[in-house]
């Protein structure tokens, strides 16, 4: 069975899926944007578990429990800071998405929700990031038969339109 990819405008912290993906920083200790929102909604247990993980490299991902979130797991994926596109940002971003799908497969997650990684304070252009996201998730899903549904969680109407356009191709 081929996994279904879709987009919806939603607060990722309210999504009842097997795993939500956090657009994390390398420390995994919380931050602004979606990262801070996930940490606040999950409660202090998430922070405690993240402290035991000793960070995460850019382009990689690590998994924790979901704590007070409706999601069973949080997959913390670290995307790159945008420096104009000539420092391997696309490869690092693709790697973060792919690493998240690998963890979802390993932990038998059927449903996964992604935010738009690196497009907030890290400054990655939204349309370029969405292209990388959809392409790399589709590629990773070919080796992740357990994952049945991936939802790209749009923060605003602009994100929603960008992902709808890409997914309709």
């Amino acid at each position: 069975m081929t996994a279904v990819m879709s987009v919806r405008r939603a607060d990722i912290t309210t999504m009842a899926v097997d795993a939500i993906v956090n657009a994390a920083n390398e420390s995994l200790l919380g931050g602004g944007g979606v990262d801070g929102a996930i940490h606040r909604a999950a409660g202090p247990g998430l922070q405690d578990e993240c402290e035991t993980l000793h960070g995460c490299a850019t382009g990689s991902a690590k998994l924790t429990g979901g704590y007070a979130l409706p999601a069973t797991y949080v997959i913390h994926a670290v995307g790159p800071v945008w420096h104009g596109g000539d420092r391997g940002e696309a490869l690092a971003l693709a790697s973060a998405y792919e690493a998240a799908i690998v963890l979802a497969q390993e932990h038998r997650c059927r449903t996964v929700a992604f935010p738009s990684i690196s497009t907030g304070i890290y400054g990655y252009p939204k349309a370029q990031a969405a292209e990388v996201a959809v392409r790399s998730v589709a590629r990773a899903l070919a080796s992740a038969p357990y994952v049945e549904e991936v939802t790209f969680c749009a923060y605003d109407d602009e994100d929603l339109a960008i992902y709808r356009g890409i997914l309709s191709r």
Side-chain angles (χ1 to χ4, degrees):
M1 181 176 148
T2 304
V4 174
M5 291 193 297
S6 64
V7 61
R8 72 182 254 214
R9 183 151 182 211
D11 176 348
I12 199 166
T13 67
T14 67
M15 295 192 69
V17 293
D18 293 328
I20 62 169
V21 178
N22 180 16
N25 60 50
E26 289 184 336
S27 76
L28 300 182
L29 301 180
V34 71
D35 189 15
I38 288 171
H39 273 265
R40 284 188 299 277
L46 180 62
Q47 181 78 14
D48 294 343
E49 185 174 358
C50 283
E51 288 174 3
T52 71
L53 298 179
H54 309 291
C56 183
T58 298
S60 298
K62 292 189 177 179
L63 183 137
T64 64
Y67 298 91
L69 294 164
T72 305
Y73 299 109
V74 177
I75 298 172
H76 306 268
V78 181
V81 174
W82 179 257
H83 293 288
D86 58 355
R87 295 190 189 172
E89 292 98 316
L91 288 173
L93 186 59
S95 179
Y97 278 98
E98 291 167 5
I101 293 294
V102 167
L103 284 174
Q105 172 66 23
E106 288 174 358
H107 291 272
R108 301 181 66 80
C109 298
R110 292 186 186 277
T111 55
V112 181
F114 280 94
S116 190
I117 298 171
S118 286
T119 61
I121 195 160
Y122 281 13
Y124 210 112
K126 288 181 174 191
Q128 290 179 44
E131 290 280 355
V132 171
V134 172
R135 187 174 55 248
S136 58
V137 167
R139 186 172 47 243
L141 287 170
S143 301
Y146 204 83
V147 180
E148 295 177 358
E149 182 180 343
V150 170
T151 304
F152 293 100
C153 189
Y155 176 73
D156 57 26
D157 289 336
E158 179 186 10
D159 287 342
L160 186 64
I162 290 168
Y163 276 93
R164 277 188 177 155
I166 293 167
L167 290 170
S168 69
R169 290 188 215 145

